[in-house]
Amino acid sequence: MKLKEALRYLLAFGLPIVILCLPLSAFGIEGMTIQEQRVVAIFVMAALCWVLEPIPIYATSVLVIVLELLVLSDKALIFFKSGVEQPDFGVVLNYKDIMATFASPIIMLFLGGFFLAMAATKYRLDVNLARVLLKPFGHKPANVMLGLMVITAIFSMFMSNTATTAMMLAILVPVLSIFSPGDRGKAAFALAIPVAANIGGIGTPIGTPPNAIALKYLTGDNYIGFGEWMSFAVPFVVVMLLIAWFLLKTLFPSQQDKMELAIKGKFLKTPKAIVVYVTFAVTILLWLMGSSHGMNSYTVALIPVAVFSVTKIIGKDDLKNISWDVLWLVSGGFALGLALDKTGLASHAVSAIPFAEFSPLLVIFAVTLLCLLMANFMSHTATANLLMPIVAALAVSMDSLAGFGGTKAILLCVTFAASLGMSLPISTPPNALAHAAGHTTTGDMAKVGAALGAIGVALTFVMVYLMRVVGYV
């Protein structure tokens, strides 16, 4: 084991052990319990593992769930349970609640999205849609780039951003060969795909994991349905895409006057292909109709799972290609949020800082900026997993936030910021794929990503303000 790797392990797992050895008074939180101390240790371990990655990030989530079962639950190891001599032990979590994070309705929502994406790819619905939808954009380089960005964004609303980027970059290969070696337009096209994928994922609740994590806390009076989410997120995506397109074509002008984008293929007309088309359309339609038909988006998400399984469109071999790591990663975040909430640590930590003395706008701006910075250096999902439960507790504790949209406003700002972190190749898998293709530099990516991040945060505030004006938040 290399020294650097050993240090990562030591820091990620050593510091939590040190935290467990500290007296409760060392935390400076009045009423701190033993259970809350253990949650602090698990939270620090998760944060360090997600940032330093001594183990895979999905493995960190599984470890979080297992540790909560072992040391926080009512079925914990016997020597971790409370005794008569421990009056400050704290709240004990129900083991069923911890395990239920693996089968949260939001996990089922993502599973339905994965089934739709796999079926669309298997029966070439994605490539054929790209071929049809790109035709109206003509042959001018700037227009072709806009078309590619629009298609990428649309696919990213319903497919994995990573899978969408990989598919679109493959389509882009013959286009990039047209450019001369010194043509800056090549960088624009190479960056357009990951930028559009990152932005497009904001458009639907299943577009990217941070959106699903936000839904976990947008309940009750703050509940947002699938169609409602799209009603404000899609306009945001459209505006951001236009800004990104203008920025790319301005920073990296092309020397080409005309280009041809040849995508070969035709829509399949087999019975199974038709089932895919119909199921895809019906599922999207039911999602957009909200609860007017009596079903919520989580119930609708299981329709394609059932249809594609029964018709053998998705077989047992296909199931191996589902992004189980993403589902585990999200469920680990839910478990971490459950522990922070149920033990009272999140509310105690928030109350320990006098947020009420600060301007609500300043608080919203600060947490949004923090989320954007974190999302540039670590997984967007991990960032959302760490921040969402704390921000949700903060929203509940600050009465002054009610005048600025309350819980819904601050969570949406943080959620959108998580997807806007795209300044570096390590920021998000689409960026890494585009950088690995070798047609863009880290400097170009940082320039575009930083500008779009700042513009996106500003636009998020405008969006929330308009939503407040019309009474949505």
Side-chain angles (χ1 to χ4, degrees), residues 23 32 60 85 129 133 247 266 289 301 303 334 393 397 412 432:
M32 183 83 170
T60 299
E85 71 284 356
L129 280 176
L133 294 174
L247 185 67
K266 61 180 180 179
M289 290 172 65
I303 293 176
F334 291 164
S397 68
L412 289 178

Side-chain angles (χ1 to χ4, degrees), residues 249-328:
K249 74 171 189 170
T250 302
L251 291 177
F252 311 105
S254 174
Q255 299 172 6
Q256 298 290 128
D257 295 323
K258 185 179 179 181
M259 61 173 49
E260 296 285 346
L261 192 62
I263 305 175
K264 297 180 180 179
K266 61 180 180 179
F267 284 98
L268 301 177
K269 296 179 182 178
T270 63
K272 286 187 176 181
I274 292 172
V275 170
V276 170
Y277 304 156
V278 172
T279 305
F280 201 105
V282 169
T283 303
I284 301 302
L285 183 62
L286 290 174
W287 271 335
L288 294 177
M289 290 172 65
S291 57
S292 59
H293 41 63
M295 297 183 290
N296 59 23
S297 56
Y298 312 121
T299 303
V300 173
L302 290 179
I303 293 176
V305 176
V307 171
F308 295 155
S309 298
V310 170
T311 56
K312 299 182 181 180
I313 287 171
I314 300 297
K316 62 180 181 180
D317 291 332
D318 297 311
L319 293 179
K320 298 174 185 177
N321 297 322
I322 289 178
S323 300
W324 297 107
D325 58 323
V326 173
L327 299 181
W328 285 2

Side-chain angles (χ1 to χ4, degrees), residues 390-406:
I390 297 174
V391 172
L394 172 62
V396 172
S397 68
M398 282 187 69
D399 294 334
S400 56
L401 278 175
F404 295 88

Side-chain angles (χ1 to χ4, degrees), residues 146 149-150 153-154 157 199-200 202-203 230 232-245 459:
L146 177 61
M149 294 177 72
V150 170
I154 291 173
M157 292 182 188
I199 293 173
I202 296 172
M230 291 187 70
F232 61 80
V234 171
F236 177 87
V237 169
V238 171
V239 175
M240 280 299 298
L241 276 181
L242 291 174
I243 292 172
W245 171 67
L459 187 60

